[in-house]
Amino acid sequence: NLLSEFGLVAKNRPCVIILISVLLANTLMTIKSALMVFSFKYYFEMESFYAIAMGVFTVATILGALLIKYFVRLFKDSSRGFICVLVLSIVFNTAFFLICRAAKSMHFGVLFFIFIASAVFQGAHYGFANLLVPNVIEYGFWLTGKLQTGLIYGIYALDISLGAAIGGKLTTVVLDIVNYIPNVAQTFAAKNGILFGTFIIPTIMAACQLILQFFFGLSDKKYQKCVEENEARALADQAAPPA
């Protein structure tokens, strides 16, 4: 019964939180990626520098994803590491937006390095949400006795597609609100609106993820205990005589 399966997912609070977090992560990534080109072209007026900056940005996000295991070791817990990464991502994106007011040049200056630092934490930020999906599946099995791997990964895949769709729609909404007109000099309000959409709207979504993560409640120690108890149940079931 599909309704009862969704009911079991709803009982798994860490699962619900992480699936919402994945949706938010994909939405904010889509908005930021889509509006970034507009920021370089119209706010910084450095369209030719966009390819170089985004190439370095992409490498930095990959580096951030590779650093996840070190954040976990440093904070001795995946959820605490995720919270730390979210805080740093919020701080660097907000700092970038505020410093843009004083220094508009992106050409390998302070602003550029803040931009790259924000990319490192964005890569870790995105990766952490994905990392925790198997944990919540195992916890759900411990909680309900039902292994819902297929259903949860199905919702996860839907989150990725839905996040991209919502992010694309929000991008057009932002451009409409700031009265963006293609291929002409933009007004001061339009430039600032594009910059706000590129960095602050994704930051607000990351802040929502941060608030949700405080209610996650599944530490690595608790997860390991669930794994051990699930394995003990499986061994007990194998040892039990057939009915």
Side-chain angles (χ1 to χ4, degrees), residues 96-211:
F96 182 88
F97 177 78
L98 295 175
I99 293 171
C100 279
R101 306 296 196 180
K104 290 188 179 182
S105 177
M106 275 282 288
H107 203 272
F108 301 114
V110 173
L111 202 58
F112 180 79
F113 288 104
I114 293 174
F115 177 70
I116 298 308
S118 74
V120 171
F121 293 113
Q122 179 174 301
H125 165 192
Y126 188 79
F128 256 112
N130 301 320
L131 174 74
L132 291 169
V133 174
N135 294 27
V136 300
I137 292 172
E138 192 75 33
Y139 174 75
F141 184 40
W142 172 84
L143 182 68
T144 65
K146 292 276 288 185
L147 188 59
Q148 297 184 290
T149 307
L151 179 60
I152 291 172
Y153 269 110
I155 299 170
Y156 168 84
L158 179 63
D159 276 351
I160 295 173
S161 300
L162 194 57
I166 294 171
K169 180 61 179 177
L170 287 175
T171 299
T172 61
V173 168
V174 169
L175 293 175
D176 287 342
I177 289 172
V178 302
N179 296 316
Y180 163 74
I181 302 171
N183 301 317
V184 299
Q186 304 300 314
T187 64
F188 178 78
K191 288 180 180 180
N192 282 283
I194 289 169
L195 191 72
F196 183 89
T198 307
F199 292 96
I200 300 303
I201 292 177
T203 299
I204 291 169
M205 292 183 178
C208 291
Q209 284 184 275
L210 177 62
I211 293 167

Side-chain angles (χ1 to χ4, degrees), residues 3 95 125 238:
L3 287 177
H125 165 192
Q238 288 175 7

Side-chain angles (χ1 to χ4, degrees), residues 21-170:
S21 191
V22 168
L23 176 64
L24 288 169
N26 282 279
T27 302
L28 73 86
M29 290 278 282
T30 302
I31 294 171
K32 190 170 183 178
S33 299
L35 288 175
M36 195 79 77
V37 64
F38 294 94
S39 291
F40 274 88
K41 183 174 181 178
Y42 297 109
Y43 188 89
F44 299 111
E45 297 178 354
M46 299 176 70
E47 188 177 6
S48 60
F49 189 60
Y50 171 78
I52 297 171
M54 290 309 297
V56 179
F57 186 91
T58 301
V59 172
T61 57
I62 295 169
L63 174 62
L66 294 174
L67 290 174
I68 288 175
K69 62 181 179 181
Y70 298 104
F71 282 109
V72 174
R73 289 177 189 172
L74 179 63
F75 292 95
K76 298 180 172 60
D77 186 79
S78 299
S79 184
R80 282 199 298 268
F82 190 19
I83 287 170
C84 173
V85 165
L86 284 167
V87 169
L88 290 169
S89 182
I90 290 166
V91 167
F92 275 95
N93 277 287
T94 304
F96 182 88
F97 177 78
L98 295 175
I99 293 171
C100 279
R101 306 296 196 180
K104 290 188 179 182
S105 177
M106 275 282 288
H107 203 272
F108 301 114
V110 173
L111 202 58
F112 180 79
F113 288 104
I114 293 174
F115 177 70
I116 298 308
S118 74
V120 171
F121 293 113
Q122 179 174 301
H125 165 192
Y126 188 79
F128 256 112
N130 301 320
L131 174 74
L132 291 169
V133 174
N135 294 27
V136 300
I137 292 172
E138 192 75 33
Y139 174 75
F141 184 40
W142 172 84
L143 182 68
T144 65
K146 292 276 288 185
L147 188 59
Q148 297 184 290
T149 307
L151 179 60
I152 291 172
Y153 269 110
I155 299 170
Y156 168 84
L158 179 63
D159 276 351
I160 295 173
S161 300
L162 194 57
I166 294 171
K169 180 61 179 177
L170 287 175

